[in-house]
Amino acid sequence: MLIKYEFLKILRKKSTIIIMAASFILTTLLFGIQIIQYQVYNENGVIKGPAGIAYEKEQYKDLSVSLSEEYITKTILEVQQLFKNPDNIGYDGNEQFLIGDAYWNSIAPREKLLNTISKAYDSPDGTLGYNKFRNLDIKNGANFYQAVKLKIKTLLDDPSGNLSVCQKEYWSSMAEKAGTPFQYGYYGSWEIIISSFELLIFAILAVCIVIAPVFSGEYQAGTDSIILSGKYGKTKLVTAKIISSFLFGIIAFTLHVVLAYGIIFAAFGTDGWALPVQIANITIPYPFTFLQAALINIGVIYLILFAMVSFTLLLSSKMKTTYLVLAVLVPVLFIPVFLTPNGTTGVYNLVLFLLPYRAVMPEIGKYISYQFGNFVFNIFSVRAVLYVALTLIMIPFAKLGFKKHQAV
């Protein structure tokens, strides 16, 4: 009954309704704009919004294929044949490229696929795309997966990466677990989801703002003396306040997730959930499908939510006003927005990747690892352990902070 009472107390506040309404509107705008601003091109110009999405999905109907060595060799050969006709070639002073019907009929419908394949043969920072095929020697086949393996090794051996031997072995071993040949297909919704997790930080902030007065609000209203002098004021009621805060946080955040990704799935569909993430970037080391990558990162984000709720409750139990709670909370969440990593190693970068704003980003295309002795852990594991630990540490202190509060 106490949990129910405290939960309804949070839910029925006018401020809760206003904050949640504003947060849902903001989430709708942030994820809806992904649809409004979406655009693709054909020979007639730009196609925007839902029409552009439908056009691109139509182009992918013939691209649900297995990227076998035979298929890739055949594809590269087709592009090379197009380059042999001088009428198909344009030149911008730096490089040659295909133009006219050769481009719009043979390249444009599958350019993303061609660029994905070409990355295996390009330098780590190369951006040539399908142009790379023009001079590629495929007399003995494309050897695509061997090229992918070599590309990953080149990235791991790059001195600027500053990876230890153990870290290189860890990532090489993980990358080899990705099943081959890669299955290719349409993955429009998942591409957006994987790249927009950081937008959920606003939902976490909204939850924290709502629960910020759980303890400090009692101090401001002067009801702390009544609560703390009651029979269950320092025991069951404190526990009920904490549980109801987490319950509200879970429900409110889940509604945001459902709204955000419901918008994306409604527009783009769910196609591609079982495809490997390597088709978006061949050097991704994690052997995940798009669905697995999304679920794992969502799980980590929930753990971040729990830690931020715990942190908010701790601040609320220690500070006399809600404004002071928010004065600490908001910078913790948003100062990392203005900080940019300059690599994947070093104390600065490794700490930055663990701060709330950066921690909601999956970073699956980077070889970010934490080494303790001879043991190497990927960023998902470290984030999960860290935020579980922070939650377990802060909850008792939040409870103790309110129980030991001296009412005036």
Side-chain angles (χ1 to χ4, degrees):
M1 288 299 294
L2 285 174
I3 294 171
K4 179 180 178 181
Y5 170 77
E6 289 296 331
F7 179 77
L8 292 176
K9 185 177 176 181
I10 294 172
L11 201 61
R12 289 172 177 171
K13 283 185 177 180
K14 186 180 292 185
S15 60
T16 298
I17 297 171
I18 294 172
I19 293 165
M20 284 295 103
S23 186
F24 285 131
I25 292 171
L26 179 61
T27 298
T28 301
L29 291 174
L30 289 174
F31 285 87
I33 203 168
Q34 310 272 0
I35 301 165
I36 296 170
Q37 292 186 340
Y38 194 84
Q39 59 185 34
V40 296
Y41 294 87
N42 64 12
E43 61 270 35
N44 298 317
V46 63
I47 309 174
K48 298 182 178 180
I53 296 169
Y55 177 83
E56 185 174 55
K57 290 181 76 171
E58 183 68 24
Q59 300 296 300
Y60 267 82
K61 283 188 175 180
D62 297 327
L63 293 178
S64 293
V65 295
S66 174
L67 298 183
S68 64
E69 293 288 356
E70 294 76 17
Y71 177 84
I72 292 172
T73 301
K74 174 177 171 289
T75 300
I76 293 173
L77 184 59
E78 290 172 354
V79 176
Q80 289 180 340
Q81 290 296 324
L82 291 172
F83 271 108
K84 289 181 180 180
N85 186 346
D87 294 336
N88 294 337
I89 299 176
Y91 184 66
D92 62 2
N94 293 313
E95 60 182 10
Q96 294 182 338
F97 50 89
L98 295 172
I99 60 174
D101 290 343
Y103 175 78
W104 291 113
N105 296 334
S106 300
I107 300 297
R110 53 178 178 168
E111 188 164 6
K112 187 179 287 187
L113 167 60
L114 296 176
N115 289 340
T116 296
I117 295 172
S118 73
K119 287 177 183 177
Y121 309 100
D122 217 341
S123 60
D125 57 351
T127 56
L128 280 178
Y130 72 89
N131 290 357
K132 186 72 178 180
F133 298 155
R134 188 164 59 93
N135 299 314
L136 198 63
D137 184 2
I138 56 170
K139 292 178 182 177
N140 297 318
N143 295 315
F144 175 73
Y145 292 100
Q146 183 62 34
V148 170
K149 187 175 181 179
L150 182 60
K151 178 82 174 276
I152 292 174
K153 185 178 185 305
T154 301
L155 289 170
L156 294 176
D157 290 339
D158 188 340
S160 65
N162 199 29
L163 296 176
S164 69
V165 173
C166 289
Q167 289 172 318
K168 292 176 184 179
E169 291 176 351
Y170 175 85
W171 289 118
S172 294
S173 176
M174 179 178 285
E176 288 177 359
K177 294 177 183 177
T180 58
F182 301 148
Q183 181 66 34
Y184 193 82
Y186 181 73
Y187 58 98
S189 60
W190 299 100
E191 185 176 31
I192 290 176
I193 286 172
I194 294 294
S195 64
S196 61
F197 277 117
E198 65 270 23
L199 298 179
L200 293 175
I201 199 72
F202 294 102
I204 294 177
L205 175 63
V207 168
C208 291
I209 291 174
V210 168
I211 65 171
V214 166
F215 294 124
S216 61
E218 305 291 1
Y219 305 156
Q220 285 181 275
T223 54
D224 53 331
S225 57
I226 299 173
I227 292 173
L228 291 169
S229 62
K231 182 178 180 181
Y232 299 118
K234 293 185 177 182
T235 54
K236 293 182 180 180
L237 184 58
V238 180
T239 301
K241 282 179 174 292
I242 292 173
I243 293 174
S244 62
S245 297
F246 274 91
L247 185 60
F248 172 81
I250 292 170
I251 294 173
F253 186 73
T254 300
L255 289 174
H256 279 85
V257 172
V258 171
L259 173 63
Y261 298 134
I263 291 171
I264 299 300
F265 288 140
F268 292 88
T270 59
D271 298 359
W273 63 270
L275 298 176
V277 292
Q278 282 74 23
I279 65 173
N281 181 353
I282 59 167
T283 59
I284 291 176
Y286 295 95
F288 298 156
T289 63
F290 283 105
L291 178 60
Q292 288 171 334
L295 290 178
I296 289 170
N297 202 60
I298 282 288
V300 171
I301 294 176
Y302 269 97
L303 296 180
I304 295 169
L305 170 70
F306 297 160
M308 292 309 302
V309 168
S310 302
F311 182 54
T312 303
L313 291 172
L314 176 59
L315 293 174
S316 184
S317 72
K318 295 288 187 180
M319 296 182 172
K320 294 182 179 180
T321 69
T322 302
Y323 301 109
L324 291 175
V325 176
L326 297 180
V328 176
L329 183 67
V330 173
V332 168
L333 280 173
F334 288 98
I335 282 180
V337 174
F338 306 101
L339 302 176
T340 304
N342 54 25
T344 57
T345 57
V347 174
Y348 167 76
N349 292 312
L350 294 179
V351 170
L352 182 58
F353 287 127
L354 295 177
L355 296 180
Y357 175 74
R358 298 292 313 193
V360 301
M361 303 179 191
E363 309 282 9
I364 58 175
K366 298 176 180 177
Y367 303 100
I368 305 169
S369 52
Y370 296 76
Q371 185 171 348
F372 303 94
N374 292 325
F375 296 97
V376 179
F377 301 91
N378 64 57
I379 196 165
F380 291 113
S381 301
V382 175
R383 285 171 174 172
V385 171
L386 173 65
Y387 282 99
V388 167
L390 288 174
T391 301
L392 295 177
I393 290 169
M394 287 188 288
I395 289 175
F397 280 105
K399 190 173 183 178
L400 188 63
F402 185 67
K403 288 170 65 175
K404 289 194 171 184
H405 173 71
Q406 297 296 319
V408 178

